[in-house]
Amino acid sequence: MMFLRISIIIVLSCIITSTRAYDPDALQDLCVADKSHGTKLNGFPCKETSNITASDFFFAGISKPAVINSTMGSAVTGANVEKIPGLNTLSVSLARIDYAPGGLNPPHTHPRATEVVYVLEGELEVGFITTANKLFSKTIKIGEVFVFPRGLVHFQKNNGKSPASVLSAFNSQLPGTVSVAATLFAAEPALPEDVLTKTFQVGSKMVDKIKERLATKK
């Protein structure tokens, strides 16, 4: 537990001391998200101050490894404004990612935030690709940190024979995740098939096969 607390402090410090947040600045001390409110905003409306409790700022969901039941062999547990209403307007959030041996967090982007990962357990191959199509990749171990710049495609892969875990920090209350494969092959409604066949230079049967496989992934 002490190791996890130290990890959270280190990673949060990297984000909180950032010179620029991508979320709008707060204009009051507290704006706890009122997710039951029907009004649509860039963020969430604020709860009445009289209805705010300490529970609005608490979440225990990343205190232990998640159960991994996905075919990718990884599980992401977000600790963002959807789980912690008190994060509304504060421009920070966390996530815990757990990996089975050989597990992959497949290529994806976060359109609203830079991500910093801190290794809690195991060893991971991580990397991101720039807009110039250059890959920056490295193997990271317990206690080490790696940064994924905002909006760039990135991944993490556990090449070891034992489980691995990281703590991720974001400079957004809700960074968003765009999974490359799922976005292209499992969108609803589906992308036109000729867009996919021409983009990847494959036939319709291959596109249908990929769609079928991705449809079963969770």
Side-chain angles (χ1 to χ4, degrees), residues 149-172:
R150 179 192 185 195
L152 297 186
V153 174
H154 60 280
F155 67 92
Q156 305 104 32
K157 174 77 161 56
N158 179 8
N159 288 326
K161 296 181 179 180
S162 59
S165 300
V166 301
L167 185 69
S168 295
F170 304 91
N171 59 339
S172 172

Side-chain angles (χ1 to χ4, degrees), residues 98-198:
D98 296 294
Y99 314 80
L104 170 71
N105 189 12
H108 62 281
T109 71
H110 301 294
R112 296 186 288 273
T114 291
E115 178 181 7
V116 181
V117 295
Y118 179 91
V119 183
L120 299 171
E121 179 185 6
E123 183 175 301
L124 296 163
E125 178 186 357
V126 300
F128 65 85
I129 303 168
T130 69
T131 56
N133 242 18
K134 183 172 182 179
L135 171 66
F136 289 87
S137 182
K138 193 170 182 64
T139 297
I140 55 175
K141 305 173 184 177
I142 293 177
E144 296 180 340
V145 167
F146 196 81
V147 178
F148 303 113
R150 179 192 185 195
L152 297 186
V153 174
H154 60 280
F155 67 92
Q156 305 104 32
K157 174 77 161 56
N158 179 8
N159 288 326
K161 296 181 179 180
S162 59
S165 300
V166 301
L167 185 69
S168 295
F170 304 91
N171 59 339
S172 172
Q173 67 181 34
L174 194 61
T177 299
V178 179
S179 176
V180 175
T183 297
L184 294 174
F185 291 94
E188 294 183 4
L191 266 71
E193 191 162 283
D194 61 338
V195 171
L196 295 173
T197 56
K198 190 164 186 176

